[in-house]
Amino acid sequence: MTLGMLNNHSSRQLDSESGISSSDESGISIKITDGSTMPALVPQTNAGSHPYQISIQSSSDSDINQPQQQQQQQQERRQQLGKPIYTSTVDWLRPIVPDDFLYRQQLAQLRQRKHGITRLSIIDFDNTLFKSPLPNPDLWDQSLIGMLKSTDLGWFQDARTLSWPYLEYTEKHWIESIETLTELESKRSDTLLMLLTGRSHAAYRDIILDLLSRRENLRFDIVILKETPTRQSPLVSQVDFGTLAAATPAPLTFDYKMAVVEDTITAFPEITEIAMWDDRDHQCVKMQDYLDSLHARTSDQIKKVNVYHVLPQTIKMREDNERRLVYDMINEYNARVRSAAVDDGFEENAKSKLPLGSIETNEYTKFTGVFLDSKSRALLQKHIRSP
């Protein structure tokens, strides 16, 4: 196992049948210097289609068995989310300027050729439609995994995590049930089918489009990746983070997805139904709450909203590939820290082996096990009476 630590002068561990043998599970630590469920029927394309079931979790489903206090907290969260993440000001009757968001330009084009759209179906990519590799918990401890998933090391911002040689045998990565769902949804003439992911537009758009192009049955009307890298983007600048974040943190991906929804329903004002599929249960609850509030304030338009929780699936990278990739990411991160120290005038810190803010990895033994063959187990059972 690999342990991860911030280098601040204190280490925190993150969390056979052939005779007698022993086995150690080792790992790596990091140190960073800082100086201080219910089944749901999927909509059918036509009367002859056979619906199948996926696991979902939405706020409306969970209300039934929630204690009164939890219901009250949920109601408060819904009220806080009642304010729009973003109020669409796009005039869809005028041309979209070339330097506007790509997805807006695409929506404007879709308006010209898709008519009678009354449903919006949105499918997430990572571990919903595609078994994206995630940091392997058998290799790294939880602290390091947390940093990998954050923008510090940037597992979801680094194009290598979805590229060869780290991504192999891509045909095995597609989640069949959601593929089937996508195919059914794409055949509905009343539906705008959207792939919407928080992956970086700059890093992943070409990669994801290439992956989709190899699956003839996956035909989305529009594929949208996150074009805005910070909360300072005009797209989410209307969020009152001072009050909202205290009780209900609003991750950028959530903000972005809800803003896309707001734009889309103004681009297609005949939409009355919204359905979303996602693998993260906490995001599903938040999205259901937000869409419920959207339904409440646009009841003259939006009549039905559902968020479906898809049980996440992943395929791990080969261990040698993942180790090489993670160490490369750490070395690149440390190089950025060293460079920043020089730029900020801290030359002495930059000259040290591990400047403040850098990451140090250390291997450690997580557990030691002893395995007994059948003869040894029989001998123990003969002479030692179990309680």
Side-chain angles (χ1 to χ4, degrees):
M1 179 65 65
T2 300
L3 170 70
M5 296 179 291
L6 294 178
N7 202 1
N8 61 354
H9 308 297
S10 65
S11 300
R12 179 168 60 92
Q13 288 194 1
L14 312 175
D15 176 82
S16 114
E17 290 290 329
S18 57
I20 300 176
S21 63
S22 66
S23 170
D24 291 342
E25 180 180 333
S26 63
I28 300 176
S29 67
I30 62 168
K31 182 186 293 183
I32 303 182
T33 62
D34 59 7
S36 56
T37 224
M38 295 177 66
L41 294 181
V42 174
Q44 300 182 52
T45 312
N46 53 58
S49 299
H50 295 286
Y52 60 95
Q53 294 181 328
I54 58 175
S55 171
I56 70 166
Q57 178 176 340
S58 69
S59 58
S60 57
D61 293 327
S62 58
D63 281 347
I64 299 173
N65 298 317
Q66 280 185 327
Q68 184 175 1
Q69 184 178 4
Q70 288 180 309
Q71 291 187 24
Q72 182 178 357
Q73 291 173 348
Q74 187 177 63
Q75 183 62 33
E76 292 173 355
R77 184 170 66 247
R78 285 180 177 177
Q79 291 173 356
Q80 290 173 325
L81 287 169
K83 180 180 178 181
I85 288 290
Y86 154 79
T87 303
S88 180
T89 57
V90 180
D91 184 352
W92 296 102
L93 298 179
R94 303 181 63 179
I96 303 297
V97 296
D99 59 349
D100 204 334
F101 298 114
L102 175 61
Y103 82 80
R104 284 180 176 170
Q105 299 175 44
Q106 292 174 315
L107 285 175
Q109 294 169 4
L110 286 169
R111 277 169 48 88
Q112 304 303 314
R113 65 175 189 267
K114 289 189 74 70
H115 306 284
I117 298 299
T118 60
R119 297 178 67 251
L120 173 60
S121 292
I122 302 175
I123 297 177
D124 178 49
F125 180 75
D126 290 300
N127 312 110
T128 301
L129 175 63
F130 191 79
K131 301 174 186 177
S132 303
L134 299 174
N136 187 345
D138 294 332
L139 299 180
W140 324 107
D141 63 29
Q142 289 303 309
S143 178
L144 180 51
I145 288 177
M147 289 201 65
L148 284 167
K149 290 183 176 181
S150 74
T151 54
D152 293 323
L153 293 178
W155 184 275
F156 294 105
Q157 290 77 40
D158 194 313
R160 290 172 293 186
T161 60
L162 282 183
S163 303
W164 189 89
Y166 306 106
L167 181 67
E168 302 177 289
Y169 310 109
T170 56
E171 67 278 2
K172 297 181 179 180
H173 282 257
W174 298 99
I175 297 175
E176 184 178 350
S177 61
I178 304 302
E179 267 198 297
T180 303
L181 165 68
T182 301
E183 189 171 6
L184 291 172
E185 293 288 281
S186 68
K187 294 177 180 178
R188 293 190 58 150
S189 61
D190 64 344
T191 297
L192 182 71
L193 181 58
M194 176 185 295
L195 180 71
L196 180 57
T197 172
R199 291 268 188 177
S200 163
H201 174 95
Y204 290 105
R205 180 169 177 79
D206 289 344
I207 292 173
I208 290 179
L209 288 178
D210 179 61
L211 289 170
L212 290 171
S213 70
R214 305 179 204 174
R215 310 295 287 184
E216 294 184 358
N217 59 330
L218 294 179
R219 291 292 177 262
F220 289 92
D221 294 310
I222 185 169
V223 176
I224 302 177
L225 289 83
K226 189 162 45 182
E227 298 180 65
T228 51
T230 67
R231 288 181 185 271
Q232 282 64 48
S233 162
L235 190 63
V236 293
S237 62
Q238 299 177 51
V239 179
D240 184 3
F241 289 107
T243 58
L244 185 61
T248 311
L252 179 58
T253 294
F254 171 79
D255 299 344
Y256 190 82
K257 288 187 174 184
M258 296 302 99
V260 169
V261 169
E262 298 271 4
D263 264 345
T264 305
I265 64 174
T266 60
F268 292 87
E270 294 181 356
I271 289 177
T272 61
E273 181 179 341
I274 302 172
M276 301 184 72
W277 286 264
D278 199 283
D279 66 298
R280 292 177 293 176
D281 53 357
H282 67 286
Q283 286 285 71
C284 287
V285 172
K286 286 187 63 179
M287 289 188 292
Q288 183 70 56
D289 287 348
Y290 187 84
L291 294 182
D292 284 344
S293 72
L294 175 66
H295 165 61
R297 59 183 162 83
T298 61
S299 58
D300 56 332
Q301 178 185 355
I302 304 301
K303 306 299 183 182
K304 183 178 180 181
V305 293
N306 283 300
V307 179
Y308 299 97
H309 176 225
V310 181
L311 295 178
Q313 299 183 48
T314 184
I315 293 180
K316 298 174 183 176
M317 291 182 187
R318 283 197 291 117
E319 289 190 6
D320 57 336
N321 276 344
E322 182 168 342
R323 288 183 185 275
R324 182 169 64 252
L325 175 60
V326 170
Y327 283 126
D328 284 347
M329 294 170 72
I330 291 173
N331 289 336
E332 292 161 7
Y333 172 87
N334 286 344
R336 293 194 298 270
V337 170
R338 191 179 300 276
S339 177
V342 173
D343 293 343
D344 293 341
F346 298 101
E347 287 83 1
E348 291 302 317
N349 178 42
K351 292 177 183 177
S352 63
K353 182 179 179 181
L354 282 176
L356 293 177
S358 58
I359 300 174
E360 178 185 9
T361 60
N362 296 293
E363 294 193 8
Y364 71 98
T365 300
K366 186 177 180 181
F367 69 84
T368 299
V370 176
F371 302 89
L372 305 177
D373 62 9
S374 56
K375 291 183 179 180
S376 300
R377 291 198 299 271
L379 187 62
L380 283 174
Q381 291 170 352
K382 179 179 179 180
H383 294 283
I384 299 177
R385 180 177 298 177
S386 343

